[in-house]
Every structure is written in C-alpha cells, then in structure tokens.
Amino acid sequence: MNYVTDRGEFSSLQILRAAYLEAPDWKQFWIDARTVTEQPWGKLLLHASDVGGCPRATMYRLLDTPEKPRGASSKANRAVMFWAGYHFHYLTYSALSWAGILACHEEPVEMDEGWSGTLDAEILVGDERILFDEKTVMPNALNYGFSLPKEKDCLQLATYGLTRSNVNGLIEYCDRAGSNTPKECRVDLGQYSAAVGSHMSLLEDCRSALPELPPVLEQAYVPHYARDGENMVLKTVAVETPWNCGYCDYHLTQEERRMNPATGRMKSYSWTQAESTCKPRNAPPLVVAELIGGVLKSCKSGHEAEVEKLTSTTPLSYYAPQEEDTP
Ligand code: SF4
C-alpha cells in the first residue's frame, strides 16, 4: 500500500518506520507506552480477539482454568517476546503520528454488554479511514505468508469494523525479531460481517452453557510442504488435529516418538497428557494424499473432494528464502 503523508510518500509501513527512525526530530513524536490505560479483562468478559478462535479455549479462560505449565526459559522467552511486540506497536504508532496519519491508537471500542475490545489504531490516508491491526509474529510465521491474513485476525478486525462506518481494514504481520520484511494485508471488513455475527452468537451461547464446555476442534485437512532450494513445495495432505491446538494454553502437551502408521517410520508427535483438561483427537496425522512436482499422485478414497478443495486454494509451492538479511 502507498502512504501519502505530510512527510512524503512511503511504499510500506516498514519504509515509513525506517524514515521516522532516521528523521532528526523522531524523538519528539515518540508515543509513551505508559500513558495507556489497561482495558478490563474481567470474569466472563468476551473479547473481540476471541472471535474466530477456539470457543472451548475461550470458555477455559472464562472458567479460570490453569494454563499449561511452562519451564523457566519458556516463561522468560514469553516475557521478552511480549515486551518486544508491545514496543513494536508503539514504534508504529509513533511513526504514523510523525507522518501525520494517525487518528487514534489503543482505542477502546464500544461493544455490546459482556464484550470488550481495543483497536490498535485508525489511520487516515487521504480520504480513506483504515482500521489497523498490528500482529507481531515469530520469524518463521512469515515463511507461510501465503496463508496470511489469517481468517481469525480478519474476524477480529471486522468486529471493530461493526462499530464504525466507511472504514477499510489493514493487518500488518511483523517479524518481532526484525529480520524479515513485514507483510501488509488489506481486509474487506464487509466480507466478514456476517461471520462475525455468527461467531459472536456462538461464543455467547457457549458462555450461557458454562460450566459445560463446547467440543474440541474438528480435525482438519492440513497441507505439508518440504523445502526445495528457496521454495517450499507441497508434498502431502494429512488429516490431523488443527495446528492451533498445539499452541493453545490449555492443551498440555508432551512430545513422544511413535511410529507413523502411514510410513512405518519413527517420528515425534505432540500428545495430550493424561491429565489434560482438553482432549483433542489424539491420533497421529493420517496422510491422505501425496503430490510430486505439484501433481497429485495418490489420494485415499473418501478424501478426494476435500483434497481437491485444499489443493485448489493452497499454493503448490511458494518462495521462502531462509533469511532475508544477514546483519
Ligand atoms: S486444545 Fe484445541 S480444542 Fe482444546 S481448547 Fe485448545 S485449541 Fe481448543
């Protein structure tokens, strides 16, 4: 996207941030993170960021379920990671303010009772009003740039969009380690408004049914890529527990080596522990299709339609250099 501002024209937010940091007056525009008031995170309160996520995980949070235990290094990594993400947000707000296109930042959004949300920023470019969400991600998340923007992130932004008119959406995915070029994604908020409504109703129904929990996420068809030089190439499609289960704070996992029944080879899998409060289906991935050079070579009977749907909407290969900049 092109940003026409008081300070010139910038072809991306990253270029704008860099120009800000090189400007002699940059410090005068630095927005102090400490001036922001924390939003309530109360009992039974749902958040815009819950929309599109796993309803069961949200209900665990509402029930004050203890999160999975973390080791000392994992806790330390998370503390630094949140600090880095937080300050990257404020660097962006400061750069937008320096360029004269920041309308507001960290703005609490008025939502229905029992809901809360905070919009990262609103940007004004010419006559266009843009709701902006910054996502700071792990460096390798940008290797899967084709899968961005994530539907859940679009739904979160569209939830804020319901409270305003004539606005567009923009999500920027930034490597919090700073070594990859960020990815900016324009979002047509209107396209998601119906889905936002049904996700919000689902979460409200789940909250009314507590302490009964909604079911675990259904298994999903997942593409698996293998590196081929600077490209990642689609090799197999498997049916497995959705990837986000492994990252859920309520999913106690341990790694075990087991035999993959499809190949007969030993492989590491994450397994739900016996004492887990959540039990997604615990089978190893079932490989249902194999591709060679982008051509489907085999597909298990009964999975043809889903494999066809996935391979027609997922790239067969994509460019993914391992490191863009070597300092
Ligand atoms: S483990 Fe999966 S199904 Fe269970 S709460 Fe987490 S994301 Fe949801």
Side-chain angles (χ1 to χ4, degrees):
M1 171 168 172
N2 216 33
Y3 298 86
V4 180
T5 78
D6 300 348
R7 301 280 187 155
E9 211 169 315
F10 304 95
S11 57
S12 71
L13 287 175
Q14 185 81 323
I15 305 272
L16 192 157
R17 273 188 293 264
Y20 163 69
L21 288 172
E22 282 161 10
D25 62 343
W26 74 274
K27 280 188 181 161
Q28 292 167 30
F29 290 87
W30 181 257
I31 295 172
D32 191 341
R34 286 168 301 177
T35 56
V36 169
T37 324
E38 288 282 327
Q39 279 299 292
W41 198 258
K43 186 116 180 101
L44 296 189
L45 198 60
L46 292 165
H47 303 282
S49 55
D50 295 327
V51 174
C54 171
R56 189 174 173 95
T58 302
M59 296 307 123
Y60 277 136
R61 191 194 74 228
L62 298 190
L63 290 171
D64 284 334
T65 307
E67 295 182 2
K68 68 180 169 191
R70 289 197 161 85
S73 65
S74 169
K75 280 188 195 156
N77 291 346
R78 280 167 69 88
V80 172
M81 176 186 87
F82 282 122
W83 184 92
Y86 191 61
H87 283 266
F88 201 90
H89 278 72
Y90 278 84
L91 166 63
T92 306
Y93 304 151
S94 304
L96 293 168
S97 170
W98 167 83
I101 58 172
L102 180 70
C104 66
H105 69 282
E106 295 294 329
E107 177 100 335
V109 175
E110 223 170 278
M111 297 180 67
D112 292 347
E113 205 182 324
W115 283 87
S116 87
T118 303
L119 173 68
D120 276 357
E122 185 174 323
I123 306 174
L124 293 175
V125 184
D127 293 336
E128 191 183 1
R129 291 173 59 210
I130 302 170
L131 303 188
F132 172 67
D133 195 18
E134 181 91 87
K135 297 285 180 207
T136 51
V137 296
M138 288 190 283
N140 67 356
L142 289 160
N143 287 346
Y144 302 91
F146 68 86
S147 65
L148 302 176
K150 293 206 174 299
E151 192 188 16
K152 181 181 185 310
D153 300 337
C154 297
L155 288 167
Q156 179 187 349
L157 197 58
T159 306
Y160 304 134
L162 288 186
T163 64
R164 293 156 200 240
S165 53
N166 298 323
V167 286
N168 294 319
L170 174 69
I171 302 174
E172 187 191 29
Y173 293 89
C174 293
D175 162 8
R176 61 172 77 93
S179 61
N180 288 289
T181 300
K183 183 170 169 101
E184 293 180 23
C185 305
R186 299 294 303 250
V187 182
D188 175 359
L189 300 177
Q191 182 195 324
Y192 291 93
S193 46
V196 166
S198 60
H199 277 271
M200 289 177 82
S201 304
L202 170 68
L203 287 169
E204 286 171 358
D205 291 347
C206 293
R207 179 171 58 184
S208 306
L210 288 174
E212 192 187 316
L213 285 166
V216 298
L217 292 176
E218 289 288 319
Q219 291 205 313
Y221 286 81
V222 178
H224 289 275
Y225 293 83
R227 182 163 286 284
D228 181 4
E230 296 219 304
N231 291 318
M232 298 295 283
V233 180
L234 182 59
K235 287 279 185 200
T236 57
V237 177
V239 178
E240 59 189 66
T241 299
W243 69 271
N244 34 340
C245 286
Y247 292 89
C248 161
D249 284 340
Y250 307 99
H251 179 57
L252 305 177
T253 56
Q254 61 182 5
E255 217 169 62
E256 286 181 7
R257 286 181 68 75
R258 299 222 173 171
M259 188 196 290
N260 180 339
T263 62
R265 287 201 290 269
M266 296 297 285
K267 206 180 160 190
S268 290
Y269 294 108
S270 288
W271 296 84
T272 309
Q273 291 182 12
E275 68 271 31
S276 172
T277 47
C278 185
K279 289 192 181 299
R281 285 177 65 184
N282 216 3
L286 172 69
V287 175
V288 294
E290 288 186 57
L291 294 93
I292 298 176
V295 179
L296 191 61
K297 280 292 163 204
S298 64
C299 182
K300 282 195 191 310
S301 161
H303 299 277
E304 295 87 347
E306 288 297 334
V307 167
E308 160 71 27
K309 196 161 104 191
L310 187 104
T311 51
S312 61
T313 53
T314 306
L316 300 174
S317 72
Y318 61 93
Y319 177 64
Q322 276 173 316
E323 240 180 61
E324 180 157 312
D325 282 329
T326 308

